Amino acid sequence: MTDELSGAPSPAWSALVVEDDPDAGDFTRTVLAQHAGVDVVLAGDADSALAALQGAKFDLVVIDVELPGRSGLQILPEVHRLAVGVPIIVLTAHNRVDYAVGALRGDVDEFLVKPVDVALLVERASMLVRRGRDRRAATRTKTVLAVGAHPDDVEIGVGGSLAAHAGTGDRLVILTMSGGAVGGDAGTRHRESQQAAELVGAQLIHLGFQDTHLDPASGPITAVEEVVREFRPDQVYTHSNHDRHQDHRAVHQAVQVACRGVADLACFQSPSSTIDYQPNRFIDIDEYLETKLRMLRAFTSQAHRDYMDEDIVRATARYWSRFTLGRYAEPLETVRSTMRLTPAAPTGSG
């Protein structure tokens, strides 16, 4: 498909179509695929739709009102939370006032009555996908870099926080310094890392420094500096220096040097953190704990580790919530945090 204005190929688009009628679902998928160049995932009920939104990113959601169990209108708040800034089209076979009012209150972008004209559906879908992408790009506020020594370090430490950043539209980059060969097959661990990164829409950079032999002065500082130059992060998360693992301490030291020009730098907790780890910031991850758990499930080769047990992950987050107003939290040690206050405009002379 080409863009009507430039003649260039359109970017890859994806849509979630929530429709319990298989024929109607296939019709919508065919129309969007053939006439709008959209890759479509079908869901037949509310729970399946929410699960799909938790596991992947979409440019458009098309949802039927009448679904088995909860209706399309009832799950709109959850759809908005899981797909921030993504446009929503509501379809219904019944042109009822209460449905239209419900869609309006649910802040949807389009309300269409079946049978939907093919040209109209294609026109609205294409327009909304472009608008949604522009809207999300305009509200993207930060680039966040998370640096870990091994696969799964970042996800254990700040998986929930990264999911929260993704929920606000921030750009995420995960930098893993080693292949983690001491803890398993490096190729397998790379694939697991990629699957976890995709759950929050993060770009994964996976380097090949030797596991258990990281030395800040022998390449890691330069490697992190190159990533910082390319992505210019506003915020960085990495290991604490209060850690028994030598690789974790080495990465902390490398990041300290390489990110000297980054305004916000904080350290997450690892399973090997010592009693000297003293957090002073706490990120509320109530809405994102389940995403963190899904990220950790991607690391199937590490499932035998005690610290990967979901009960332990959940209990740890519950403990740190004592310093927040929520139920689950992730702790951070602040290395550097810069707040810029903008003076108020003068109100006039006396």
Side-chain angles (χ1 to χ4, degrees):
M1 179 182 177
T2 58
D3 187 282
E4 294 85 352
L5 297 178
S6 65
S10 295
W13 294 344
S14 62
L16 174 66
V17 173
V18 190
E19 173 62 73
D20 64 318
D21 183 332
D23 291 336
D26 286 338
F27 170 78
T28 304
R29 174 168 56 186
T30 300
V31 168
L32 293 178
Q34 293 186 357
H35 300 284
V38 178
D39 292 327
V40 173
V41 172
L42 285 176
D45 55 49
D47 291 339
S48 299
L50 297 177
L53 289 170
Q54 290 170 342
K57 301 292 183 182
F58 296 96
D59 295 297
L60 177 68
V61 177
V62 182
I63 186 167
D64 189 28
V65 172
E66 296 183 348
L67 298 171
R70 290 181 290 169
S71 75
L73 298 180
Q74 288 175 320
I75 64 169
L76 285 176
E78 294 171 86
V79 173
H80 282 298
R81 177 177 61 81
L82 293 170
V84 178
V86 174
I88 300 172
I89 296 176
V90 166
L91 301 178
T92 180
H94 306 285
N95 191 10
R96 291 169 41 174
V97 173
D98 58 330
Y99 283 177
V101 171
L104 180 63
R105 288 176 175 170
D107 194 23
V108 305
D109 297 87
E110 190 67 71
F111 181 81
L112 300 175
V113 178
K114 302 176 186 176
V116 181
D117 179 76
V118 170
L120 178 63
L121 179 58
V122 171
E123 175 194 348
R124 294 289 191 269
S126 300
M127 180 268 292
L128 289 174
V129 166
R130 291 191 181 90
R131 180 190 295 173
R133 285 196 168 187
D134 291 344
R135 185 168 60 195
R136 294 195 299 279
T139 58
R140 193 179 295 276
T141 57
K142 290 182 181 177
T143 295
V144 178
L145 171 64
V147 186
H150 316 100
D152 76 28
D153 283 345
V154 163
E155 294 79 3
I156 292 170
V158 283
S161 298
L162 294 181
H165 279 293
T168 65
D170 290 342
R171 181 188 191 189
L172 304 181
V173 180
I174 296 175
L175 172 60
T176 301
M177 302 299 290
S178 80
V182 171
D185 176 71
T188 298
R189 301 197 72 184
H190 174 77
R191 289 191 293 274
E192 293 170 346
S193 297
Q194 188 62 54
Q195 291 170 12
E198 289 172 357
L199 289 172
V200 290
Q203 179 171 343
L204 176 67
I205 301 173
H206 202 155
L207 304 181
F209 288 98
Q210 188 176 359
D211 192 0
T212 73
H213 289 80
L214 285 169
D215 178 355
S218 299
I221 291 176
T222 300
V224 178
E225 285 178 332
E226 290 175 355
V227 173
V228 169
R229 274 196 299 270
E230 179 177 356
F231 293 97
R232 303 178 62 85
D234 303 286
Q235 189 162 0
V236 175
Y237 299 119
T238 194
H239 292 282
S240 169
N241 201 42
H242 302 125
D243 200 297
R244 294 188 305 274
H245 201 299
Q246 68 273 19
D247 283 355
H248 295 181
R249 297 194 302 272
V251 168
H252 169 85
Q253 294 159 19
V255 171
Q256 279 264 46
V257 176
C259 297
R260 56 195 175 274
V262 179
D264 197 310
L265 174 59
C267 302
F268 51 75
Q269 184 182 38
S270 297
S272 52
S273 294
T274 69
I275 196 170
D276 294 318
Y277 180 80
Q278 296 183 1
N280 55 7
R281 292 166 60 185
F282 304 89
I283 308 299
D284 186 329
I285 62 167
D286 282 15
E287 297 182 3
Y288 303 100
L289 177 63
E290 296 305 319
T291 301
K292 176 175 182 172
L293 293 174
R294 282 192 297 276
M295 294 173 75
L296 296 180
R297 285 182 206 127
F299 295 95
T300 54
S301 69
Q302 307 301 303
H304 61 287
R305 309 282 187 186
D306 289 345
Y307 52 78
M308 299 293 275
D309 186 281
E310 292 192 6
D311 287 342
I312 292 178
V313 175
R314 193 181 298 274
T316 301
R318 185 74 180 101
Y319 169 79
W320 288 118
S321 73
R322 63 195 292 239
F323 300 102
T324 72
L325 298 179
R327 287 185 55 81
Y328 299 104
E330 288 176 337
L332 295 169
E333 283 180 333
T334 302
V335 174
R336 182 168 52 256
S337 182
T338 303
M339 179 181 293
R340 296 181 178 87
L341 299 179
T342 302
T347 58
S349 60

